[in-house]
């Protein structure tokens, strides 16, 4: 279980303090798929980096299964938006996926197994020997996802992972993530600015305000578990939910502008 | 076709040299024919062993040492913004000193043996490598760094799998500059108080007015430079194959 309690983050520098996150408290139960959605520039990435142990929060705590997160925890994998910059260009695809497993000191046989399984799971079974830059953007992000799941994390953090790929690839990757989530039972925290994506993917959507960020609403998504791009997005319930989220975010933007 | 491209210009230049100096009466510019004819007598196997080999060994020792020192210090300095800000002006100052002026000074404490010559080569070669390594290490991509951190890549693994490969293109660029500096310094160090080496041989011929022989020495030096840069290119292709591929991919 991932627990975020009273999280605050204020950036200081040049004698100026910028409050990015004011006060965030939420939990992500084991096996949940929670989407964090908020207006652009609302501190989503900051929040995710605090959870991943890449940034030290100014206040509050993040705990993973009862252990406070002070640095990158072993049971967590992060998929970044910038796939082109998160894969090691000097390593072939298989080596990229294998690298974190070496750090975990897994035996060679097990590493090979995991690399094969995870690359097959993202549909890149025949890309082992390619360099990342020989692949298309969508394929590169698949490699990053394969690397994350090969790591066998308990929590998978995704920071707007599909923001930089084209719309069709994006739909494929969304389905890939839902499929992997259902199959592997991993806890997923998915950050996005795309409302449709959040509603389509999530079992639950946390709506964030503009910066300084607070949680506006914790919205369960009561769409059926089996979703597909064509039908789910056409259901009245989907439309209702996305309209609701959209209104919340619009309202959030306006409130913040009002009290400034 | 490729061979033709590589050899066309040299052939033309040699031809120009040949015909321009044919029948030259000028003492200091003998005909190329004379120079070439004297080469086999000068550059015998014994001579290669006695003069070229020591030169090459000193060059190799100096260049390798400079690589090790430059990269090690570069990693230490480049990874620490504060250290970098403190030492960078000093490095720029030291780099700006032409290494040949240090030769007499280095002779004072390192004597006139091989140690001095290697030290001279190191003192000149280390700067381009060091400054490029500092820059390369500093510029490691932020997303890549965070990826490495989040997957627990620390210590030696981080150095070998993240920092050094990421800084590799810059380091190699520095090493390429350093190699040409090394050749120059190899020759210069042998012109002071030496008893063997290519530089020594050339100076000896000069002083005894053996002009065609002197020219052969200069040609040998040039060929050596070509050979070394060829070897460097091979090493670069092996180390930076990924980088050239990436660059081509980005250009589309």
């Amino acid at each position: 279980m991932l627990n975020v309690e009273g999280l605050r983050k204020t950036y200081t520098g040049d004698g100026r303090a910028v409050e990015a996150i004011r006060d965030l408290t939420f939990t992500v139960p084991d096996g949940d798929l929670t989407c964090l959605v908020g207006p652009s520039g609302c501190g989503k990435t900051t929040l995710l980096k605090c959870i991943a142990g890449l940034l030290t929060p100014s206040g509050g705590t993040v705990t993973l299964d009862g252990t406070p997160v002070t640095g990158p925890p072993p049971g967590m994998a992060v998929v970044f938006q910038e796939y082109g910059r998160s894969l090691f260009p000097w390593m072939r695809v298989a080596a990229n996926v294998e690298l974190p497993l070496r750090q975990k000191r897994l035996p060679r046989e097990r590493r090979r197994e995991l690399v094969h399984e995870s690359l097959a799971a993202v549909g890149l079974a025949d890309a082992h020997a390619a360099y990342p830059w020989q692949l298309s953007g969508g394929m590169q992000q698949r490699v990053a996802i394969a690397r994350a799941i090969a790591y066998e994390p308990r929590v998978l953090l995704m920071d707007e992972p599909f923001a930089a790929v084209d719309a069709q690839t994006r739909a494929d990757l969304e389905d890939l993530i839902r499929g992997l989530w259902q199959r592997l039972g991993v806890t997923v925290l998915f950050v996005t600015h795309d409302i449709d994506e959040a509603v389509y993917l999530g079992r639950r959507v946390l709506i964030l305000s503009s910066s300084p960020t607070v949680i506006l609403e914790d919205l369960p998504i009561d769409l059926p578990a089996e979703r597909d791009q064509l039908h789910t997005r056409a259901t009245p319930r989907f439309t209702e939910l996305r309209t609701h989220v959209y209104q919340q975010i619009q309202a959030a933007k306006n409130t913040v502008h009002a009290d400034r | 076709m490729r061979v033709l491209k590589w050899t066309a210009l040299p052939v033309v230049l040699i031809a120009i040299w040949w015909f321009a100096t044919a029948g030259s009466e000028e003492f200091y510019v003998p005909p190329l024919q004379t120079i070439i004819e004297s080469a086999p007598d000068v550059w015998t196997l014994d001579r290669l062993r006695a003069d070229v080999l020591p030169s090459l060994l000193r060059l190799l020792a100096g260049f390798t040492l400079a690589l090790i020192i430059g990269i090690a210090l570069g990693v230490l300095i480049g990874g620490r913004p504060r250290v970098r800000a403190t030492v960078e002006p000093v490095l720029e100052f030291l780099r700006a000193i032409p290494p040949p002026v240090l030769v007499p000074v280095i002779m004072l404490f390192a004597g006139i043996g091989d140690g001095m010559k290697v030290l001279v080569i190191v003192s000149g070669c280390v700067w381009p490598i060091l400054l490029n390594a500092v820059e390369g290490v500093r510029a490691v991509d932020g997303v890549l760094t965070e990826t490495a951190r989040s997957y627990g890549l620390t210590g030696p693994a981080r150095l070998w799998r993240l920092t050094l490969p990421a800084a590799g293109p810059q380091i190699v660029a520095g090493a390429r500059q350093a190699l040409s500096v090394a050749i120059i310094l190899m020759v210069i160090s042998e012109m002071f108080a030496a008893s063997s080496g290519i530089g020594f041989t050339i100076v000896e011929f000069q002083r005894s007015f053996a002009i065609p022989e002197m020219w052969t020495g200069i040609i040998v030096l040039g060929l050596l430079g070509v050979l070394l840069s060829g070897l460097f290119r091979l090493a670069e292709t092996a180390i930076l194959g990924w980088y050239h591929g990436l660059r081509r991919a980005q250009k589309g």
Side-chain angles (χ1 to χ4, degrees), chain A residues 49 53-54 71-73 76-78 80 82 85-91 99-100 102-103 131 133 144 147-148 151, chain B residues 141-154 157 160-163 165-166 241-246 249:
Chain A
K49 283 184 179 168
L54 293 169
M76 220 183 250
V78 189
F80 294 93
E82 303 94 335
R85 291 162 57 200
S86 100
L87 296 171
F88 296 86
W90 47 86
M91 290 181 194
L99 181 63
R102 283 169 177 267
Q103 287 313 108
Y131 280 104
W133 37 265
R147 178 172 63 186
Y151 196 58
Chain B
D141 189 277
V143 177
L144 220 48
T145 310
E146 287 193 330
T147 305
R149 262 189 78 198
S150 73
Y151 283 119
L153 204 68
T154 51
W160 290 110
R161 303 195 182 276
L162 173 69
T163 312
W242 66 269
Y243 179 68
H244 299 306
L246 174 69

Side-chain angles (χ1 to χ4, degrees), chain A residues 169-232:
Chain A
T169 307
R170 184 175 192 146
D172 290 344
L173 290 173
E174 285 166 6
D175 289 336
L176 173 73
I177 287 301
R178 277 216 46 111
L180 288 172
W181 168 67
Q182 282 172 328
R183 234 181 61 208
L184 305 174
V186 63
T187 311
V188 180
L189 185 62
F190 192 104
V191 173
T192 179
H193 65 263
D194 183 326
I195 295 164
D196 285 47
E197 183 169 79
V199 172
Y200 178 73
L201 276 180
R203 242 173 43 88
R204 167 167 91 127
V205 171
L206 292 174
I207 305 169
L208 303 178
S209 70
S210 309
S211 190
T213 315
V214 295
I215 288 187
L216 290 178
E217 190 178 344
D218 181 345
L219 179 73
I221 302 296
D222 48 5
L223 293 168
E226 288 307 320
R227 300 179 191 175
D228 70 80
Q229 297 285 351
L230 208 56
H231 299 99
T232 308

Side-chain angles (χ1 to χ4, degrees), chain A residues 29-42:
Chain A
D30 280 340
D32 199 10
L33 200 173
T34 298
C35 287
L36 283 166
V37 66
S40 331
C42 78

